[in-house]
Amino acid sequence: MKLALTVFLLSALCPRTSGEEAQTAADQLLVLTVATKETDGFRRFMRTAKHFNYTVKVLGQDEEWMGGDYMSSPGGGQKVRLLKAALDEMKDDNRIILFVDSYDVVFASSPKELLKKFQQAGHKVVFSSESLIWPDRHLEDKYPHVKEGNRFLGSGGFIGLVANVREMVSSWTGEDGDSDQLFFTNIYINPEMRKSLNITVDSKCRLFQNLHGSLDEVVLKFEDGHVRARNLLYDTLPVVIHGNGPTKLQLNYLANYIPNTWSFESGCTECHEDLRPLSDVQESEYPLVWIGVFIQQPTPFVTVFFERLLKLQYPKERLKLFIYNKEVHHEPAVASFLQDHGGLYKEVKLTGPESQLDEASSRNLGFDTCRKDPDCEYFFNLDIEVVLKNENTIKTLIEQNLPIVAPLITRTGRLWSNFWGALSPEGFYARSEDYVDIVQGRRVSVWNVPYVSSVYLMKAHLLRSELLDPELFSSNTLDPDMAFCHNVRSKGVFMFVTNMHSFGRILSTENYVTGHLHNDLWQIFENPQDWEDRYIHENYTSIVKDKLVETPCPDVYWFPVFSEVACNHLVEEMENFGKWSGGGNMDNRIQGGYENVPTIDIHMNQINYEKEWQQFLLEYIAPLTEKMYPGYYTKAQFDLAFVVRYKPDEQPFLRPHHDASTFTINIALNERGTDYEGGGCRFLRYDCSVKSPRKGWALMHPGRLTHYHEGLPTTAGVRYIAVSFVDP
């Protein structure tokens, strides 16, 4: 583990007369930060320092970290060595030093407030305090008692005069891997040294807030456009927030708001900083991106997925495709896409079911493909269940210039998304306080989160540095996505999710049955929005507004409802089923076994589609019925819903009849002049005919009594219609 420290050198505050020109606290401050490596946490720390106008000088750059790993054992002696060396070069003993970790620290306020609170403490050295003793519990009885607050010393942050701090560390002779916390603890619990150096602890967290052991005490305080961390137990507003020990993720959460990163008044204040704009870059110079497409389970709307992939607004010559397909069921769709469009991309690699790779291995292989390609600048993970509606997603994510960033997608009508706002102590999902607001768009920003999945963009250099492990997705206890995010977090790499744009949604793959020819037809319940996008006519939502409903005959309404794909799929599904009725009067499929006016047809219940068909009628027909026939309300009940086939040599027409319904829906499933000749419907009472029914358009008319009608002869080809006798 690498570690960064910060040393703030502050001029001692001297009394001034009201007429003196007062120097600002920022001018008095010199920040010395010890950083052996520039991590995401360190960069965040520096941004907060810059926000409050701290001046920073870095020590220990490129020095190997030998101070151990705090998460597994005590360490940090290297910090004391570097501090001691820095103090030996300082001449002004009356300056003030603030010494804090930086990888897991943010500032919540200014140097001025920090210095004021240090003065009010009335001591020459003030350490941060903790509610938990570490690393030696046997020393608890030797700790001095405090009137109120935390007793125990935390070495991750302290402030004091140069002379006192220099004397405090002068006795250090330890190794880099020795415990800095134990070193300072032994000084503090020694009464003579504590008095001589004039040391105390910030027991009420006025200057420092260590989060470990105190998470329930700390909340965000929003006030007048400013955001602070508030300690509820002591009603204080600490200046330095330290995510010590296992509280790094809680610090990440707080730092999504502090200092003024996001507020209710101004929203996100940093989302447009440090961007990588592509607007001034020639498309031939765009970063090269490997898109990893992963098909891990049977998934609806795969053909549509590839249509959207093709529409992404990013030059194809700067894209390479890695496709892993585990499902034999989806091989035709993948093969069709690559045959028609694979040549547009700079390179394509396909790994199919024959490889028998598990999910972790397939994802590791995808990452390794980018890792080994020296031209790869980004890896864009895109799972097959992602519905990416925003065609500029790749460009938008690249411009954010973040290590790993995911576009927020959700499941329609649910709070399920592709990120977690928090983790449980066991490392599984937990809901953060702001999760619902982020998912529902009430808080818009770029959020540091502990887990992303399904779709995200990663900088490729991470795969060649911090994330060099070729088994990032492999684990004996965690699923692949959780293992990946765990490994990313353990390397100090930040993950983000952005909801600054609308990106799309994620499909439900539960209950997806693959036993039909066109399985997507059955998705009206599981994925209603995707079903609508695929199967409902593009002009359906404009029917009433744009007056697309026509009235070719009295009380007969004609309007678009099905897309061309819906018509084709329904016809092909029926022909694939193939069990057309014989057109005789005896029909054991219906109650009573006798049909007065038989047709050659297949009923919806024969292909197990009656529930889906009723849902279609409820969602897309019933609202129009209520508009066209005011005062009538339907529950879209039916006994008969079927697809009819008319052929000149089979059954070319249908004799005059009344329908056994309150109203009937008759949808044309193919095109006159292209697929057949003749056909149509004639209403005898009004001597009115619809002879050129449009594909995907529905005729809606009363059934019993008034609208006696016949099917006109089909003279060539094959005509298909979908008929529903509603409210029999």
Side-chain angles (χ1 to χ4, degrees):
M1 174 181 176
K2 307 293 183 182
L3 185 65
L5 305 173
T6 302
V7 180
F8 289 90
L9 302 182
L10 308 175
S11 298
L13 297 182
C14 301
R16 295 185 177 90
T17 64
S18 59
E20 288 184 282
E21 186 70 28
Q23 236 185 344
T24 66
D27 292 334
Q28 299 165 2
L29 176 65
L30 173 64
V31 181
L32 298 179
T33 189
V34 179
T36 60
K37 191 173 184 180
E38 189 173 305
T39 67
D40 291 335
F42 173 75
R43 285 186 283 269
R44 176 181 62 192
F45 171 81
M46 294 296 286
R47 286 196 298 273
T48 67
K50 180 180 178 182
H51 178 81
F52 292 111
N53 200 27
Y54 289 104
T55 304
V56 180
K57 180 180 178 182
V58 180
L59 301 177
Q61 285 179 299
D62 301 323
E63 180 175 313
E64 184 179 359
W65 175 251
M66 302 296 292
D69 182 353
Y70 284 115
M71 299 302 291
S72 59
S73 62
Q78 188 172 354
K79 298 193 300 183
V80 187
R81 171 173 65 79
L82 292 167
L83 173 60
K84 182 179 179 182
L87 290 171
D88 287 342
E89 297 179 0
M90 296 179 193
K91 306 302 182 184
D92 188 352
D93 286 354
N94 290 319
R95 285 187 172 180
I96 298 174
I97 299 170
L98 173 66
F99 189 79
V100 293
D101 293 354
S102 65
Y103 288 175
D104 51 6
V105 167
V106 296
F107 286 97
S109 189
S110 66
K112 181 179 180 180
E113 181 178 336
L114 184 68
L115 290 172
K116 180 180 179 181
K117 290 181 175 179
F118 172 58
Q119 280 187 309
Q120 292 171 343
H123 288 73
K124 299 296 180 63
V125 180
V126 179
F127 274 85
S128 67
S129 67
E130 298 189 18
S131 61
L132 305 173
I133 187 171
W134 190 83
D136 188 347
R137 295 182 180 179
H138 298 93
L139 299 177
E140 180 175 354
D141 292 340
K142 296 184 178 182
Y143 263 90
H145 289 276
V146 296
K147 291 182 180 179
E148 183 182 5
N150 300 325
R151 290 175 58 197
F152 306 117
L153 174 147
S155 65
F158 58 86
I159 186 171
L161 294 177
V162 167
N164 296 67
V165 178
R166 183 189 293 119
E167 182 181 351
M168 182 174 64
V169 300
S170 62
S171 63
W172 172 262
T173 58
E175 300 295 328
D176 283 355
D178 291 345
S179 172
D180 65 323
Q181 178 115 341
L182 187 59
F183 171 72
F184 290 121
T185 297
N186 284 325
I187 293 174
Y188 179 64
I189 63 177
N190 183 307
E192 291 78 15
M193 296 186 71
R194 184 169 67 250
K195 182 177 180 181
S196 172
L197 295 170
N198 197 1
I199 303 175
T200 189
V201 293
D202 179 32
S203 59
K204 295 184 181 180
C205 304
R206 299 182 72 245
L207 289 83
F208 306 95
Q209 178 65 65
N210 288 313
L211 296 178
H212 188 35
S214 303
L215 290 176
D216 293 339
E217 302 169 11
V218 180
V219 298
L220 290 168
K221 179 183 180 183
F222 297 89
E223 186 174 278
D224 299 328
H226 299 284
V227 188
R228 295 290 296 266
R230 179 186 178 191
N231 187 300
L232 292 173
L233 191 60
Y234 309 118
D235 195 22
T236 55
L237 300 174
V239 176
V240 180
I241 315 300
H242 182 201
N244 57 322
T247 64
K248 315 300 181 193
L249 300 185
Q250 287 78 11
L251 178 70
N252 292 348
Y253 166 76
L254 294 175
N256 282 327
Y257 299 90
I258 301 170
N260 299 335
T261 308
W262 188 94
S263 68
F264 288 102
E265 292 81 2
S266 58
C268 179
T269 61
E270 297 184 355
C271 295
H272 301 290
E273 297 180 4
D274 302 321
L275 299 181
R276 181 181 181 175
L278 295 177
S279 57
D280 298 330
V281 179
Q282 297 291 328
E283 287 195 350
S284 59
E285 298 177 356
Y286 273 26
L288 190 139
V289 181
W290 270 98
I291 299 180
V293 175
F294 294 92
I295 308 175
Q296 305 287 0
Q297 69 280 319
T299 305
F301 304 106
V302 167
T303 301
V304 183
F305 171 90
F306 283 111
E307 291 172 0
R308 291 198 176 103
L309 178 64
L310 191 66
K311 292 178 181 178
L312 288 177
Q313 295 301 299
Y314 202 86
K316 300 294 188 293
E317 64 272 15
R318 303 303 295 161
L319 293 175
K320 296 184 178 182
L321 293 183
F322 172 89
I323 300 177
Y324 172 71
N325 175 30
K326 181 181 179 182
E327 294 297 325
V328 174
H329 174 73
H330 292 313
E331 282 192 300
V334 175
S336 177
F337 170 75
L338 292 181
Q339 180 178 347
D340 294 340
H341 308 292
L344 298 175
Y345 295 88
K346 189 173 181 67
E347 185 177 345
V348 176
K349 290 189 176 181
L350 171 64
T351 301
E354 71 283 351
S355 67
Q356 297 185 332
L357 295 178
D358 60 23
E359 182 177 352
S361 298
S362 67
R363 295 188 183 275
N364 287 329
L365 179 61
F367 272 27
D368 207 41
T369 301
C370 171
R371 182 184 287 119
K372 292 178 179 178
D373 182 351
D375 295 327
C376 180
E377 291 190 59
Y378 291 93
F379 187 87
F380 184 52
N381 185 95
L382 186 60
D383 289 0
I384 197 70
E385 61 266 28
V386 173
V387 180
L388 205 58
K389 300 280 285 185
N390 190 326
E391 296 178 0
N392 292 306
T393 296
I394 295 179
K395 288 195 291 188
T396 298
L397 298 182
I398 288 176
E399 288 177 337
Q400 284 296 325
N401 198 27
L402 294 168
I404 300 174
V405 57
L408 173 63
I409 57 173
T410 60
R411 189 165 290 171
T412 301
R414 297 174 60 182
L415 291 174
W416 196 98
S417 74
N418 64 323
F419 83 96
W420 295 353
L423 296 180
S424 69
E426 298 76 27
F428 293 91
Y429 170 82
R431 179 175 290 183
S432 60
E433 179 273 335
D434 56 2
Y435 178 82
V436 174
D437 282 346
I438 292 173
V439 168
Q440 296 183 343
R442 290 193 291 268
R443 300 187 188 185
V444 176
S445 185
V446 179
W447 310 94
N448 188 335
V449 296
Y451 172 95
V452 296
S453 66
S454 302
V455 53
Y456 49 86
L457 184 79
M458 170 188 286
K459 289 185 175 180
H461 78 82
L462 293 171
L463 297 173
R464 306 183 188 104
S465 52
E466 286 88 346
L467 304 179
L468 192 58
D469 182 359
E471 300 295 330
L472 285 171
F473 290 90
S474 302
S475 171
N476 293 326
T477 57
L478 301 175
D479 70 37
D481 285 330
M482 290 178 64
F484 165 68
C485 293
H486 170 79
N487 288 327
V488 169
R489 295 192 302 268
S490 69
K491 296 298 183 180
V493 176
F494 287 171
M495 293 172 282
F496 298 85
V497 65
T498 173
N499 64 342
M500 294 187 66
H501 304 269
S502 176
F503 292 100
R505 55 186 176 269
I506 192 162
L507 293 170
S508 169
T509 58
E510 292 91 351
N511 306 316
Y512 183 58
V513 178
T514 60
H516 306 286
L517 179 64
H518 294 296
N519 303 287
D520 297 347
L521 278 169
W522 276 258
Q523 288 294 298
I524 192 170
F525 293 109
E526 297 294 333
N527 294 289
Q529 186 61 56
D530 298 272
W531 191 93
E532 177 177 308
D533 289 350
R534 186 66 163 162
Y535 291 127
I536 295 301
H537 198 285
E538 61 182 357
N539 292 329
Y540 174 83
T541 55
S542 303
I543 285 176
V544 176
K545 181 180 68 174
D546 296 337
K547 299 181 179 179
L548 292 182
V549 176
E550 299 180 14
T551 310
C553 300
D555 282 333
V556 176
Y557 300 101
W558 199 16
F559 53 87
V561 64
F562 268 168
S563 69
E564 184 167 345
V565 173
C567 296
N568 295 342
H569 282 192
L570 192 55
V571 169
E572 291 165 9
E573 193 67 45
M574 292 302 185
E575 287 290 1
N576 183 66
F577 180 74
K579 297 179 181 179
W580 295 95
S581 66
N585 294 106
M586 304 305 297
D587 192 341
N588 58 13
R589 298 173 301 169
I590 63 176
Q591 188 175 4
Y594 185 85
E595 173 60 69
N596 287 321
V597 187
T599 54
I600 293 180
D601 54 46
I602 295 175
H603 290 187
M604 295 299 180
N605 61 13
Q606 289 181 263
I607 61 169
N608 298 316
Y609 201 63
E610 65 273 24
K611 292 180 181 179
E612 290 77 9
W613 190 257
Q614 185 182 28
Q615 183 67 11
F616 158 69
L617 294 176
L618 278 171
E619 289 291 324
Y620 301 100
I621 300 301
L624 294 177
T625 303
E626 294 165 8
K627 288 183 178 297
M628 299 303 107
Y629 302 118
Y632 181 75
Y633 301 95
T634 177
K635 295 183 179 180
Q637 300 293 333
F638 62 86
D639 290 333
L640 291 177
F642 47 92
V643 171
V644 178
R645 184 174 73 182
Y646 290 114
K647 296 171 66 175
D649 59 351
E650 191 176 66
Q651 182 182 13
F653 66 92
L654 191 61
R655 65 181 175 84
H657 63 283
H658 283 294
D659 292 338
S661 67
T662 300
F663 69 94
T664 295
I665 297 297
N666 181 329
I667 305 173
L669 298 180
N670 56 349
E671 197 75 52
R672 181 179 180 179
T674 301
D675 303 308
Y676 66 91
E677 298 292 341
C681 182
R682 176 172 175 258
F683 296 92
L684 279 70
R685 180 176 181 179
Y686 308 103
D687 192 21
C688 178
S689 300
V690 181
K691 293 186 177 180
S692 298
R694 301 163 192 160
K695 186 175 182 179
W697 282 55
L699 283 175
M700 181 168 66
H701 61 83
R704 293 185 177 86
L705 191 61
T706 58
H707 282 64
Y708 193 58
H709 60 283
E710 63 181 338
L712 299 175
T714 298
T715 58
V718 183
R719 178 190 176 208
Y720 298 93
I721 57 174
V723 178
S724 302
F725 294 166
V726 186
D727 297 342

